[in-house]
């Protein structure tokens, strides 16, 4: 997952893009980058790290211009340790194009061969985003045929891109001297929306919170398969560029990835999580008598809405039993199991009075590896809990995700090949309650009837792009270069300690 933003304005955009990236920091903390354009020249700064650390005053002063884009990166393809793979990416021909991308291409390996053998274009990193940029650049060059670029050429190029690439992608690109291009994959897997400022500025971003937090007025979501072209003077043209499109957003955005104060594809993330808590309550009642539960305790941060709704429906006290240290490093890059466990203890601390002598129901947004869940259950016991029940607002994660979420391989998923009872034994809780897949989809989908369905492959094993087999899932996982000893931790711990509260 990544966060992307693009702006066309009549005033300098460097600060506006910086502020928007801060609001999208929860979508990626590995690297950040901004590029601006003044006249026909690009000015770029990117590096590994958080937005506040990557950009200093001297860097911001070196980013002039009224048009630009930016990205915060959480890598799911390529090399996480490579600073060269921080975005934006740039190619000088045709015209000069810079691009940011959120998503994951499932046919990047094939495309890389095509680029070299047929298009005679060179890629210098393992990033699928660089592949996507070169495919786009090649198609723009072919559509324009060496003549000055026109809008029809841009839309023709995007149509060709849709036919060539597979996977998930929300893209914002800047074409030197012409304007800003944005488009979304035909399934709408990864989010993208547009808004306007009082000064006439136009912003495209991954989440509505980036617009609202920078005083832009949310206008609409970009439709699946749609392309938007914003001219340098602010004129907007749009066109549907996919022969067949349908809205199937990633359901994990609503489970965990997105900020609760965002609205994506007409669905309030906060309301979606409340609804998931409501359906989860029915599952809890069927497995654990409410009179055996003394308190409902969320595992911070994104499980809170579900836990609150669940507690209200059960008629049980909602309690904050864990305090989160907002300044500790991420557990999922700690080498080795011992270091990971130590970091979980450093990140979360139990309030003993909320656990001692009680039967507690812990609520988490999801359970992926199970290592964090096991440690948290033990923390509750160490704090004096009599019984520890665990409920997940999401169904069991049994399959890897190939569309831009860094899921472990099948063998590392605690739910893969295990029954719920076997998972409960691994985690060590007294009862384990999972959300139902169909109930989750209905809980989120009823907020907006215009949604055709959801990309929920990590739960149901259905890869909606239709090009993914078991062998290809294995190959995609093996192709990930995560650095020397870096290990992905439980995805429910993906964000930084304060990511959901930025």
């Amino acid at each position: 997952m990544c966060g992307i933003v693009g702006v066309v304005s009549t005033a300098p955009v460097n600060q506006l893009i910086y502020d928007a990236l801060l609001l999208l920091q929860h979508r990626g903390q590995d690297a950040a980058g901004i590029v601006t354009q003044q006249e026909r020249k690009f000015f770029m700064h990117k590096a590994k790290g958080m937005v506040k650390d990557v950009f200093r005053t001297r860097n911001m002063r070196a980013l002039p211009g009224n048009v630009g884009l930016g990205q915060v990166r959480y890598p799911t393809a390529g090399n996480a340790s490579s600073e060269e793979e921080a975005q934006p990416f740039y190619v000088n021909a045709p015209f000069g194009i810079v691009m940011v991308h959120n998503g994951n291409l499932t046919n990047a390996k094939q495309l890389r061969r095509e680029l070299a053998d047929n298009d005679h274009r060179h890629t210098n990193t393992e990033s699928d985003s660089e592949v996507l940029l070169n495919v786009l650049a090649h198609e723009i060059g072919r559509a324009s045929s060496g003549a000055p670029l026109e809008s029809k050429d841009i839309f023709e190029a995007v149509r060709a891109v849709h036919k060539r690439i597979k996977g998930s992608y929300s893209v914002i690109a800047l074409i030197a001297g012409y304007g800003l291009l944005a488009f979304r994959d035909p399934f709408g897997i990864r989010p993208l929306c547009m808004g306007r400022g009082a000064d006439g500025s136009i912003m495209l971003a991954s989440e509505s919170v980036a617009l609202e937090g920078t005083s832009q007025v949310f206008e609409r979501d970009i439709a699946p398969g749609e392309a938007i072209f914003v001219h340098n003077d602010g004129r907007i043209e749009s066109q549907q560029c996919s022969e067949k499109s349908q809205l199937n957003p990633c359901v994990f955005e609503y489970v965990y990835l997105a900020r609760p104060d965002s609205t994506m594809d007409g669905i309030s993330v906060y309301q979606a999580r409340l609804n998931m808590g409501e359906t989860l309550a029915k599952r809890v009642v069927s497995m654990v008598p409410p009179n055996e539960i003394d308190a409902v305790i969320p595992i911070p941060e994104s499980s809170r809405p579900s836990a609150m709704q669940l507690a209200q429906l059960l008629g049980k006290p909602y309690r904050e039993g864990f305090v989160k240290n907002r300044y500790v490093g991420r557990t999922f890059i700690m080498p080795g199991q011992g270091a990971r466990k130590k970091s979980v203890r450093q990140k979360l601390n139990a309030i003993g009075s909320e656990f001692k002598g009680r039967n507690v129901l812990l609520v988490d947004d999801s359970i992926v590896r199970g290592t964090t869940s096991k440690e948290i259950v033990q923390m509750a016991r160490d704090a004096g809990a009599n019984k520890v029940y665990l409920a997940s607002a999401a169904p069991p994660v049994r399959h890897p995700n190939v569309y831009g979420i860094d899921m472990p391989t099948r063998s590392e998923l605690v739910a893969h090949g295990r029954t719920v009872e076997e998972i409960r034994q691994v985690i060590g809780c007294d009862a384990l309650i999972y959300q139902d897949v169909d109930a989750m989809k209905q809980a989120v989908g009823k907020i907006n009837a215009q949604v055709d369905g959801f990309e929920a492959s990590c739960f149901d094993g259905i890869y909606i792009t239709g090009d993914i087999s078991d062998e290809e899932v294995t190959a995609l996982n093996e192709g990930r270069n995560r650095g020397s000893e870096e290990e992905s931790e439980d995805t429910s711990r993906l964000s930084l300690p304060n990511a959901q509260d930025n």
Side-chain angles (χ1 to χ4, degrees):
M1 64 175 181
C2 299
I4 60 176
V5 61
V7 181
V8 174
S9 180
T10 57
V13 296
N14 54 354
Q15 186 65 52
L16 185 56
I17 294 172
Y18 176 92
D19 294 341
L21 291 181
L22 285 177
L23 292 161
L24 296 173
Q25 186 73 85
H26 60 287
R27 299 188 67 87
Q29 302 92 37
D30 281 88
I34 293 176
V35 64
T36 58
Q37 177 187 295
Q38 188 173 55
E39 297 177 347
R40 296 184 70 93
K41 186 176 181 180
F42 293 137
F43 299 84
M44 185 188 302
H45 179 69
K46 61 181 182 177
K48 285 181 62 64
M50 302 277 283
V51 174
K52 64 181 177 61
D53 298 320
V54 168
F55 298 100
R56 303 293 184 179
T57 301
R58 65 182 181 276
N59 308 126
M60 296 296 287
R61 287 174 178 167
L63 294 169
N66 299 345
V67 183
L69 46 80
Q71 194 229 32
V72 287
R73 179 185 186 233
Y74 180 76
T76 56
N79 190 336
S81 63
S82 172
E83 195 157 288
E84 291 181 357
E85 295 189 14
Q87 295 187 38
F89 276 110
Y90 165 73
V91 291
N92 66 354
F95 308 108
I97 305 172
V98 285
M99 188 201 78
V100 290
H101 163 222
N102 173 34
N104 200 58
L105 304 190
T106 56
N107 65 334
K109 188 175 181 180
Q110 172 192 335
L111 287 169
R112 189 172 279 109
R113 288 195 301 265
E114 291 178 5
L115 285 169
D117 298 341
N118 304 332
D119 302 342
H120 303 146
R121 300 189 70 93
H122 174 69
T123 55
N124 202 48
T125 72
E126 295 303 312
S127 172
D128 64 330
S129 300
E130 188 189 16
V131 170
L132 197 161
L133 172 58
N134 276 274
V135 171
L136 174 63
H138 176 79
E139 297 302 336
I140 288 177
R142 185 158 64 176
S144 61
S145 300
L149 190 63
E150 297 181 18
S151 300
K152 64 178 180 62
D153 303 324
I154 294 171
F155 295 130
E156 181 182 337
V158 174
R159 280 192 289 272
V161 167
H162 284 324
K163 292 176 181 178
R164 291 186 65 179
I165 68 178
K166 297 177 181 178
S168 66
Y169 49 96
S170 285
V171 174
I172 307 176
L174 190 55
I175 306 173
Y178 289 94
L180 188 145
L181 169 66
F183 57 94
R184 197 174 175 193
D185 72 71
F187 293 94
I189 299 173
R190 300 264 74 86
L192 192 63
C193 61
M194 181 175 71
R196 296 176 187 261
D199 61 353
S201 61
I202 297 164
M203 178 182 287
L204 292 118
S206 294
E207 294 186 32
S208 63
V209 69
L211 307 176
E212 296 157 357
T214 55
S215 300
Q216 312 293 304
V217 177
F218 173 85
E219 190 166 290
R220 68 182 181 90
D221 293 287
I222 307 306
E226 183 185 16
I228 300 281
F229 186 67
V230 186
H231 295 263
N232 285 333
D233 60 7
R235 289 182 297 118
I236 298 177
E237 295 183 69
S238 65
Q239 195 171 118
Q240 176 54 252
C241 295
S242 173
E243 295 177 354
K244 184 179 180 181
S245 63
Q246 60 187 61
L247 183 55
N248 289 85
C250 173
V251 76
F252 213 79
E253 292 277 359
Y254 305 100
V255 170
Y256 172 76
L257 298 180
R259 273 182 45 151
D261 45 345
S262 282
T263 297
M264 305 163 71
D265 292 311
I267 298 174
S268 161
V269 176
Y270 182 75
Q271 186 61 53
R273 292 174 185 171
L274 288 177
N275 290 1
M276 284 187 277
E278 184 176 333
T279 57
L280 182 61
K282 299 174 183 177
R283 299 278 292 179
V284 170
V285 170
S286 69
M287 296 187 65
V288 180
N291 60 8
E292 293 186 11
I293 300 171
D294 297 318
V296 176
I297 297 175
I299 299 173
E301 303 275 351
S302 49
S303 65
R304 283 184 171 132
S306 296
M308 285 190 292
Q309 190 75 344
L310 188 155
Q312 181 178 350
L313 292 172
L314 293 184
K316 295 297 176 181
Y318 170 89
R319 291 288 186 265
E320 291 286 346
F322 295 103
V323 176
K324 197 167 189 177
N325 179 355
R326 300 174 183 274
Y327 307 103
V328 72
R330 291 165 296 162
T331 58
F332 68 96
I333 63 169
M334 296 292 182
Q337 186 72 11
R340 181 182 294 124
K341 285 187 176 182
K342 179 181 178 182
S343 184
V344 171
R345 291 277 183 166
Q346 290 173 339
K347 182 181 287 188
L348 288 178
N349 190 46
I351 300 173
S353 59
E354 296 296 342
F355 293 93
K356 192 171 183 180
R358 291 181 174 179
N359 296 341
V360 296
L361 173 62
L362 306 183
V363 181
D364 208 348
D365 51 72
S366 57
I367 302 169
V368 183
R369 284 180 184 266
T371 52
T372 295
S373 300
K374 181 177 181 179
E375 187 71 6
I376 289 173
V377 166
Q378 188 58 50
M379 287 173 65
R381 293 198 190 282
D382 292 345
N386 182 30
K387 287 188 177 181
V388 182
Y389 309 120
L390 178 62
S392 169
V397 178
R398 300 189 184 278
H399 311 274
N401 182 286
V402 300
Y403 298 122
I405 303 173
D406 190 35
M407 290 285 183
T409 58
R410 283 192 177 92
S411 62
E412 296 172 300
L413 297 170
V414 69
H416 179 67
R418 290 189 176 99
T419 65
V420 173
E421 172 58 22
E422 288 170 337
I423 301 168
R424 183 199 67 78
Q425 293 176 16
V426 170
I427 292 174
C429 51
D430 293 289
L432 176 61
I433 305 98
Y434 275 110
Q435 180 78 265
D436 178 74
V437 175
D438 290 335
M440 173 191 65
K441 292 179 180 179
Q442 292 170 9
V444 180
K446 69 181 181 180
I447 302 172
N448 180 11
Q450 301 303 311
V451 173
D452 297 307
F454 292 98
E455 195 296 301
S457 56
C458 56
F459 304 116
D460 60 17
I462 300 172
Y463 297 95
I464 61 172
T465 54
D467 61 318
I468 302 298
S469 64
D470 286 346
E471 294 75 16
E472 284 161 327
V473 170
T474 301
L476 284 166
N477 276 284
E478 289 175 350
R480 291 175 176 171
N481 184 348
R482 307 295 295 140
S484 57
E485 286 189 317
E486 293 181 355
E487 297 181 26
S488 294
E489 219 268 318
D490 194 328
T491 302
S492 63
R493 305 279 77 78
L494 274 176
S495 65
L496 286 176
N498 62 344
Q500 297 290 342
D501 294 331
N502 281 344

